[in-house]
Amino acid sequence: MRKGSHRSVVAGLVCAAAFAVAAVSPAVAQERRGGSEPTVTVQGQGQHTAKPSFAALTVEVATPGDSLDKATAAHEARAARAAETLQKLASDGVTVKRSDFRLARDVVRPKQEQPGYRAVTAFELELKPVDRVNTLVGRIASSGLFEVGPIGYRAEDAHAGLDEARRKAIADAQAKAEVFAAAAGMRLVGVVAIVEGGEPGALRAEMASARSMQITPPATLTFDASATVTWRIGPR
């Protein structure tokens, strides 16, 4: 075969191969572009209620003084009396969870030559049963030693309540996703991702002012949860 003829054959084969690749490439590219499975993403909400198990209350004993030393010295005896008062209420359902001591400097007021000082001991209390909270707070306040703060109500096992709300959030998300998939003629295949939304562990509890002495516990506490879930979907 002459060289010219050989070159013509080789050139023809190269052109044919190039044509074949050009013909196949769009299909391959289209397959790659559409190769990933379709998904549906929805957000579910869950809510669970539980009865309050106890009340959380912070009370403070504050003693003023012209100096840090005077405030601290005068405060020692008052703080001891306060601790003794709370200890006597232990059998009635008052538990001291922790206590903290701090020294504070008062803001200078008009016609006051120098600022005063305050020695403060704070007690974090747990009160139960909740139907006796009003009586217990009244007894604490009647001692004349404490500044009584607001009351919050809590569940004994807050994690269990939150976990139940999370389960309901996932169930809600799945129900919504099934509706979307069915409307599109598809079905749920599997979960791709789950992201918890909002503030995990958020607990809404009613608050009451202890100073009013009209403290009515809420009937229930509410645990909220939300989750954003992504599912793979396929043909029915």
Side-chain angles (χ1 to χ4, degrees), residues 39-166:
T39 61
V40 60
T41 300
V42 297
Q43 185 179 66
Q45 303 291 335
Q47 190 175 91
H48 179 70
T49 59
K51 292 183 179 180
S53 305
F54 62 91
L57 171 68
T58 298
V59 296
E60 292 185 346
V61 179
T63 307
D66 295 335
S67 66
L68 289 175
D69 291 340
K70 288 182 179 179
T72 303
H75 182 71
E76 185 175 353
R78 296 187 75 241
R81 285 170 53 205
E84 183 180 356
T85 298
L86 295 174
Q87 184 62 37
K88 290 179 179 178
L89 293 174
S91 60
D92 294 326
V94 176
T95 303
V96 178
K97 304 303 291 183
R98 61 174 293 178
S99 61
D100 295 302
F101 173 76
R102 70 179 186 274
L103 289 169
R105 190 172 184 177
D106 289 339
V107 178
V108 178
R109 296 180 178 85
K111 298 181 181 180
Q112 186 178 3
E113 294 181 359
Q114 63 180 13
Y117 298 86
R118 285 162 53 91
V120 180
T121 298
F123 298 89
E124 293 183 10
L125 308 179
E126 184 178 285
L127 312 179
K128 59 182 177 182
V130 292
D131 58 2
R132 298 194 68 243
V133 167
N134 196 33
T135 300
L136 293 174
V137 173
R139 292 180 63 182
I140 292 171
S142 65
S143 68
L145 293 169
F146 301 97
E147 295 179 8
V148 183
I151 291 183
Y153 295 92
R154 302 288 183 266
E156 197 71 53
D157 190 352
H159 291 293
L162 181 59
D163 286 345
E164 186 60 30
R166 287 167 172 155

Side-chain angles (χ1 to χ4, degrees), residues 155-213:
E156 197 71 53
D157 190 352
H159 291 293
L162 181 59
D163 286 345
E164 186 60 30
R166 287 167 172 155
R167 293 186 188 96
K168 292 179 179 179
I170 294 297
D172 181 52
Q174 181 170 353
K176 292 177 181 176
E178 287 174 348
V179 171
F180 281 115
M186 308 286 277
R187 63 180 178 87
L188 301 184
V189 175
V191 174
V192 175
I194 300 176
V195 179
E196 187 169 21
E199 297 181 2
L203 168 63
R204 299 202 309 268
E206 291 186 23
M207 302 294 287
S209 172
R211 293 182 179 86
S212 69
M213 295 304 143

